[in-house]
Amino acid sequence: GVQTCALPIWGFPLVLKGEQGHAGKTVHICQDEAQLRAAWDKLEGRSCLLQRHVQGRNWGCGGFFLQGHPVSLQCYDILQQEPPTSGPATKVRMDPQAPLLDALCALAKALNWSGYLQGDFMRDAESGRFLFLELNPRGWGSMTAGSGQGMQAFAPLLAHLRGRKPAAMPTPARGRPTWVFPKPVTSH
């Protein structure tokens, strides 16, 4: 049978996305009920999330943590995605934003997290506020983009695996746009 539910009070547009991501392929921005039903059919019974759509820019913030304490952090503005608006970052610019860094560090501390942790955020075009989207307990695809600014994305993990305490690394400052390879090539 068809599952039905009352739509949230915020109305359309809505975002329907598969609970497990697949490089943006399970994300559908729905302008009306017909698009929502079509997206539901495409997801073929997968567990899904329904979110309010926010017009704005995607941002990311990630780091390596030991027992909730940050060792390395990076925060980036996502300049380009493939597929557009829903897929993985293909071009980013490091840009440390205190609200994002603070939010990620608070989550890592509350979880007493050790390892990589990355959060996705949306900067609301209307208010300029950052809104939390999701938390990923793993390395992320664009983490190597900080290497052009001196960040060694895997150095903390390697030190930890060798039984050494990783040295704290500075958070990259706002930098130039950086392509995330090989995504721009493989996405076309």
Side-chain angles (χ1 to χ4, degrees), residues 5-78:
C5 65
L7 289 178
I9 59 172
W10 56 74
F12 289 98
L14 294 171
V15 179
L16 181 68
K17 62 192 249 184
E19 190 174 45
Q20 293 183 334
H22 295 281
K25 293 179 179 120
T26 65
V27 177
H28 302 275
I29 299 171
C30 307
Q31 302 297 328
D32 55 33
E33 189 172 337
Q35 288 183 357
L36 181 61
R37 287 186 185 280
W40 178 259
D41 290 343
K42 284 181 186 176
L43 292 173
E44 300 174 356
R46 287 188 175 117
S47 294
C48 298
L49 303 169
L50 189 62
Q51 299 173 324
R52 176 175 64 105
H53 181 263
V54 175
Q55 191 65 30
R57 299 264 306 243
N58 290 299
W59 285 69
C61 186
F64 186 82
F65 296 85
L66 285 178
Q67 296 179 322
H69 299 285
V71 175
S72 67
L73 295 169
Q74 64 176 240
C75 187
Y76 48 97
D77 182 2
I78 299 173

